[in-house]
Amino acid sequence: MKIIMLGAPGAGKGTQAKKIAGKYGIPHISTGDIFRANIKNGTELGKKAKTYMDQGLLVPDELVVDLVVDRVNQEDCTKGYVLDGFPRTIPQAEALDKALADVDQKIDYAINVEVPDENIVNRMSGRRACVSCGATYHLVYAPTKEEGICDNCQGSLILRDDDKPETVKKRLNVYHEQTQPLIDYYTKAGVLVEVDGTIDIDDVFAAIVKVLEEA
Ligand code: AP5
Ligand code: MG
């Protein structure tokens, strides 16, 4: 089962991708998480990516495509995977399709988690991420058991640098310009699934599972 998560920043792609990966035993591949791990480890890729991410801009395609193509060709991806945050531009989608076609494969579902812009800024200001394991919470909608402490690993929680309201607004503009055209792209490919992302986290997940299991 090869799945792509689509949706605006903060729509809940990561939240749902983790749940899908857990239920179906497939890897969750988040390009945002890969970049953040590289930034934390001070790699060259991390240094380059940070300059774009801090401004709410997309990292250039050439820094992303090979990385993802290599990742999906690894052994643990033979049963499938959930891609979260990739592709984000038409050239990225075309490069992925080409790499998959070379090995006689294709994407099965592109799940678009729909949340209107007006809900997003609010949602992002309440998000907290663990500095150690990357787990994501929300002060109101997905709180930790103990305030400021990760439930998984007891790491401390932070507000992501790019979750400040001015940067979120910029990311939303970038999303509408560069990523939203993928909805049309995957509709034409016959794999688009739309889910309402404004409802409760578990209800969004139930809607996704229903689609995956009906097919
Ligand atoms: P990335 O990390 O992918 O960020 P994003 O797409 O902006 O999305 P987010 O991770 O912010 O949101 P999400 O949809 O995962 O929501 P979440 O589940 O956390 O990318 C960051 C940056 O890296 C980009 O800006 C770009 O610079 C670069 N980058 C990454 N990939 C790239 C690529 N392919 N090409 C170029 N550049 C790339 O949920 C958000 C919050 O809401 C959480 O607190 C959560 O608990 C809460 N929540 C979730 N669902 C619900 C719900 N149903 N109800 C209430 N609250 C909810
Ligand atoms: Mg995410």
Side-chain angles (χ1 to χ4, degrees), residues 18-186:
K18 285 192 187 98
K19 290 168 94 63
I20 296 169
K23 182 171 170 75
Y24 297 102
I26 52 179
H28 165 215
I29 303 171
S30 157
T31 42
D33 288 352
I34 293 172
F35 288 137
R36 281 184 289 276
N38 274 274
I39 292 171
K40 195 174 156 203
N41 295 330
T43 68
E44 276 312 305
L45 176 65
K47 282 178 198 151
K48 283 185 195 154
K50 187 172 176 7
T51 60
Y52 299 94
M53 289 169 74
D54 282 352
Q55 297 177 71
L57 298 172
L58 294 186
V59 174
D61 290 342
E62 57 272 24
L63 293 181
V64 192
V65 169
D66 291 350
L67 185 151
V68 175
V69 169
D70 284 350
R71 180 66 190 89
V72 299
N73 282 325
Q74 284 171 23
E75 190 66 36
D76 63 335
C77 290
T78 44
K79 266 176 56 191
Y81 42 82
V82 194
L83 284 177
D84 161 16
F86 182 96
R88 251 187 160 89
T89 62
I90 297 281
Q92 289 181 18
E94 288 171 345
L96 177 66
D97 277 352
K98 183 174 176 311
L100 289 177
D102 286 347
V103 287
D104 252 342
Q105 294 182 359
K106 65 182 240 347
I107 290 298
D108 299 305
Y109 303 97
I111 301 173
N112 183 34
V113 184
E114 284 184 285
V115 176
D117 286 9
E118 47 279 20
N119 300 23
I120 297 280
V121 179
N122 206 359
R123 213 184 245 198
M124 307 294 255
S125 59
R127 171 164 60 184
R128 293 295 179 273
C130 173
V131 280
S132 304
C133 74
T136 306
Y137 301 94
H138 191 282
L139 293 178
V140 179
Y141 308 119
T144 46
K145 294 196 187 83
E146 204 180 328
E147 206 186 309
I149 307 286
C150 178
D151 287 350
N152 288 344
C153 74
Q154 272 66 57
S156 11
L157 304 184
I158 49 153
L159 178 70
R160 253 167 59 177
D161 282 344
D162 59 348
D163 277 352
K164 298 184 181 99
E166 325 75 75
T167 319
V168 170
K169 283 181 195 139
K170 176 81 196 180
R171 285 162 62 199
L172 274 172
N173 289 339
V174 168
Y175 166 76
H176 289 302
E177 275 169 29
Q178 299 192 58
T179 307
Q180 211 170 18
L182 292 177
I183 294 175
D184 216 28
Y185 181 94
Y186 287 109

Side-chain angles (χ1 to χ4, degrees), residues 4-17:
I4 287 171
M5 301 305 295
L6 294 175
K13 301 182 294 297
T15 301
Q16 298 300 329

